[in-house]
Amino acid sequence: VFGRLAPGVDTGMAERELTALLANAAAEHPAEYDRPSARVRTLADVFLGPVRPVLLVLWGGVGALLLVACLNVANLLLLRATERRHEMAVRAALGVTRARLSRQLLTESVILAVLGGLSALPVAWLAIGLVAAHGPSQLPRLAQASLDARALAVCLCVTMASGILFGQVPLRQLARRDPARSLQGVRGCWTPEAWRTRALLATGSVALAACLLVGAGLLVRTMSGLVRVAPGFDPRAVLTADVVLSGPRYDAESPERERALVTRFYDEVLARLRASPEVEAASAVSTLPLGGGLDAYGLHVEGRVSPNPEEAPSADRFVVQDDFLETLRIPLLRGRTLEPKDGPGAPLVVVIGRTTAERVFGGEDPIGHRVMLGPPTSPARTIVGIVGDVRHAGLDTPPGLQVHVPQAQWAWAEGAMTLVVRARGGDAAVLAPAVRQAVGDVDADQPVSRMRKYESIVIESVGTRRFASWLLGAFSATAVILAVVGLYGALGVTVGLRRREIAVRLAMGASAVRMRRMILAQGMRPAVLGIAAGLGFAMVGVTALDSLVFGVATRDLATFAAVALLLLAATGAACLVPVLRAGRTDPAAALRTE
């Protein structure tokens, strides 16, 4: 039921009011209602609740990448301002006011930012199309994502704001300088103050790249761990298809008659499928493992019913056709599986999972015990077998209590079932015509929907994590490239500005090795500080990944160490060319030029 809350009313108030209304209905109609209650949630929680952590992480990655790009642009603008210092001094000496110079520099910065944003639009359009087509189905409305007017407006505002904000960096550097001293000094000289600003920007870029790399590394390790998790069944060569029976043909005057009609439909469909030479095994289940559905019932052991039935453990219920366990190759641990003889007139039976046997019965043998599903007054069912657990809620979620019940023995008709068909040759896609043909032969009015390979369903169950790891990995790789290029540019320009100083040092007897060490230390100092700061921030920020990380600690030392080594190698490579150039400086040629 959908409703719009009145002004000033929160979900808790609405929930209490609806529960009171249902309680009145239960008092008037006690035979139709059994302790009814209401649960009220916002629409945002319904759609975004499961994926909100992923979206927040991706938002953080986008923001960090944008900040790295802005720091890089600020560094380049600062280098450009150093080259234009003499030009700006001449302009100031000719009477151009500081306000006019500021407007010119800010205009240039905004134009660069807007041109950068416009040049990114074709790439963004292509990327959005790929994400919408191949992104995870768990993200709501992802398929409708497009580069609309709102997105363009946001892009324009962000780029202009970035240009104005980070265009202030070179502006402040020029504002501090005295035009007279700039005209008297040597053009292109190096100052420690300018290098400190460039080094600070480079440090920030490396730090943000380190944070992104840590997040991407943790998610990649999570994905590598998830793909190695055994789901408890064999999804290879299995095709799934949803069938939801409808129409007057399956309406009956009693639940027993309706159940018989529905069960006979699936019996006939599966009989046709099993007769196909392409089919190795076929069955049907009410809730497909890892398919996204949940169907839990209270589990009561006969003779051990708790005084408060609400305290009974909850078990995932799977209403299945014959051969379901064999079709998915779920191992039988003890007893027997469900058989065709477990029909409506036979004694009620149930097969339980390993975790159910261990938690509910401890060291006692469950075979032969009787359990009730739902309220304690439900019919008792004899446990005839114990099978392996399946990962139902997710590959990262440990199996809970699980029970398998024959479709012919359930309390009412289960018209909505998922067919599971195993191919004999190995390619599940070839079974699609046979499935449609089998359903059409039994009842041509019943559609077959969501026909998928089971392997793709298993992959989709970790789709949001895979999506986040791919995007965060792309963000981190881009950030590393930007940080390395920024460091290389800052150090390279600095070496050019210090060419006269290096030449004098070499002429006075300093060795080329010593010059290389000096420049390497100058370049690696901001890199090491950035790596340390980034890893420190990541130690705190990785708590946002708690719900996404599986099989690895959020503060995994191996991941942090790998990120540190990778960035050290990348920044060291960025410093290599300027360092070698400094060592090859010819003192005589450099001094003659100066």
Side-chain angles (χ1 to χ4, degrees):
V1 177
F2 292 84
R4 187 174 297 279
L5 296 180
V9 177
D10 59 17
T11 56
M13 297 168 60
E15 192 169 288
R16 289 190 294 271
E17 183 177 351
L18 288 175
T19 300
L21 292 174
L22 291 174
N24 294 334
E28 296 177 6
H29 307 280
E32 285 80 8
Y33 292 91
D34 182 20
R35 297 188 300 275
S37 63
R39 183 184 181 191
V40 179
R41 293 188 295 167
T42 65
L43 203 60
D45 287 339
V46 173
F47 283 110
L48 297 179
V51 297
R52 184 176 280 112
V54 174
L55 296 178
L56 292 177
V57 167
L58 293 180
W59 266 109
V62 169
L65 182 58
L66 175 63
L67 191 54
V68 171
C70 290
L71 292 174
N72 230 29
V73 171
N75 212 338
L76 295 175
L77 290 174
L78 186 59
L79 296 175
R80 178 64 176 157
T82 301
E83 297 175 352
R84 299 178 65 183
R85 184 180 61 174
H86 190 268
E87 171 199 343
M88 295 301 168
V90 171
R91 287 173 178 265
L94 293 175
V96 179
T97 63
R98 183 166 293 180
R100 185 172 179 180
L101 287 176
S102 301
R103 287 197 303 269
Q104 175 189 343
L105 293 175
L106 283 179
T107 301
E108 293 175 357
S109 177
V110 171
I111 290 176
L112 285 175
V114 172
L115 290 176
L118 292 176
S119 65
L121 292 181
V123 181
W125 181 76
L126 292 174
I128 290 174
L130 291 174
V131 168
H134 304 287
S137 59
Q138 294 90 337
L139 289 179
R141 299 185 64 192
L142 182 62
Q144 287 79 41
S146 62
L147 198 62
D148 56 10
R150 291 175 299 175
L152 292 174
V154 171
C155 176
L156 178 63
C157 292
V158 169
T159 51
M160 292 187 66
S162 302
I164 294 173
L165 179 62
F166 290 91
Q168 301 287 332
V169 176
L171 186 63
R172 294 184 62 179
Q173 289 291 319
L174 290 174
R176 293 196 189 104
R177 292 174 181 151
D178 182 10
R181 293 186 60 186
S182 298
L183 288 173
Q184 293 170 1
V186 178
R187 184 180 304 183
C189 67
W190 174 79
T191 61
E193 179 188 3
W195 168 249
R196 281 195 295 268
T197 304
R198 297 171 197 152
L200 182 62
L201 294 174
T203 299
S205 298
V206 174
L208 291 171
C211 290
L212 288 175
L213 273 177
V214 169
L218 291 174
L219 289 180
V220 168
R221 293 196 62 186
T222 293
M223 286 303 303
S224 64
L226 284 174
V227 297
R228 292 194 297 268
V229 173
F233 57 91
D234 185 3
R236 295 171 297 180
V238 175
L239 185 72
T240 69
D242 291 351
V243 177
V244 181
L245 296 184
S246 61
R249 181 175 176 178
Y250 304 98
D251 294 336
E253 64 283 355
S254 65
E256 293 78 10
R257 176 60 179 164
E258 184 176 346
R259 180 184 62 197
L261 293 173
V262 170
T263 303
R264 184 169 61 189
F265 168 84
Y266 285 103
D267 287 340
E268 294 178 2
V269 168
L270 293 176
R272 283 170 167 77
L273 287 174
R274 291 164 184 160
S276 173
E278 300 172 334
V279 175
E280 178 181 324
S283 187
V285 62
S286 59
T287 306
L288 190 68
L290 291 179
L294 297 175
D295 188 12
Y297 276 70
L299 180 65
H300 311 272
V301 180
E302 190 177 49
R304 307 180 190 174
V305 178
S306 171
N308 181 8
E310 295 295 330
E311 296 178 354
S314 181
D316 293 324
R317 180 209 65 151
F318 301 94
V319 174
V320 300
Q321 268 277 342
D322 304 332
D323 293 338
F324 172 74
L325 302 171
E326 292 81 358
T327 301
L328 290 189
R329 295 176 181 171
I330 301 174
L332 175 65
L333 305 180
R334 198 181 312 162
R336 68 174 179 88
T337 60
L338 301 177
E339 301 174 354
K341 66 180 181 180
D342 300 318
L348 302 182
V349 297
V350 66
V351 171
I352 64 174
R354 184 209 307 264
T355 300
T356 309
E358 294 174 351
R359 292 185 186 176
V360 177
F361 296 95
E364 187 178 358
D365 187 3
I367 303 296
H369 281 273
R370 289 155 58 91
V371 296
M372 289 78 71
L373 299 178
T377 55
S378 300
R381 303 173 183 272
T382 303
I383 299 174
V384 296
I386 303 173
V387 297
D389 294 321
V390 297
R391 299 267 179 166
H392 179 46
L395 292 177
D396 59 338
T397 304
L401 306 186
Q402 297 173 355
V403 294
H404 302 265
V405 184
Q407 183 185 26
Q409 292 187 347
W410 188 238
W412 57 79
E414 287 283 353
M417 300 281 282
T418 300
L419 302 175
V420 287
V421 189
R422 180 173 294 278
R424 192 177 301 277
D427 185 9
V430 301
L431 299 178
V435 172
R436 293 193 181 93
Q437 182 67 36
V439 174
D441 290 345
V442 177
D443 188 348
D445 295 330
Q446 303 306 318
V448 180
S449 62
R450 299 183 68 194
M451 196 171 295
R452 299 174 293 173
K453 292 182 178 181
Y454 212 151
E455 288 179 296
S456 66
I457 296 176
V458 175
I459 295 174
E460 287 177 9
S461 68
V462 294
T464 53
R465 280 193 176 92
R466 188 177 70 253
F467 182 70
S469 63
W470 274 102
L471 283 186
L472 206 59
F475 294 163
S476 60
T478 307
V480 170
I481 293 173
L482 290 176
V484 167
V485 170
L487 180 62
Y488 167 78
L491 188 61
V493 171
T494 300
V495 169
L497 295 175
R498 300 184 68 178
R499 186 165 178 262
R500 183 173 184 273
E501 173 198 345
I502 295 172
V504 171
R505 288 176 178 268
L506 292 173
M508 297 296 291
S511 64
V513 174
R514 186 174 180 180
M515 289 297 98
R516 293 191 183 101
R517 288 176 181 173
M518 181 184 70
I519 299 301
L520 181 62
Q522 183 178 11
M524 290 303 295
R525 194 175 296 116
V528 172
L529 290 176
I531 294 171
L535 296 182
F537 290 140
M539 278 284 185
V540 179
V542 288
T543 54
L545 299 175
D546 284 340
S547 61
L548 301 178
V549 171
F550 171 79
V552 60
T554 51
R555 294 181 175 87
D556 179 60
L557 295 180
T559 301
F560 279 74
V563 168
L565 292 175
L566 175 62
L567 285 178
L568 283 174
T571 52
C575 298
L576 185 60
V577 174
V579 166
L580 294 177
R581 193 171 65 195
R584 290 197 297 264
T585 301
D586 182 2
L591 293 176
R592 278 198 303 270
T593 302
E594 293 294 338

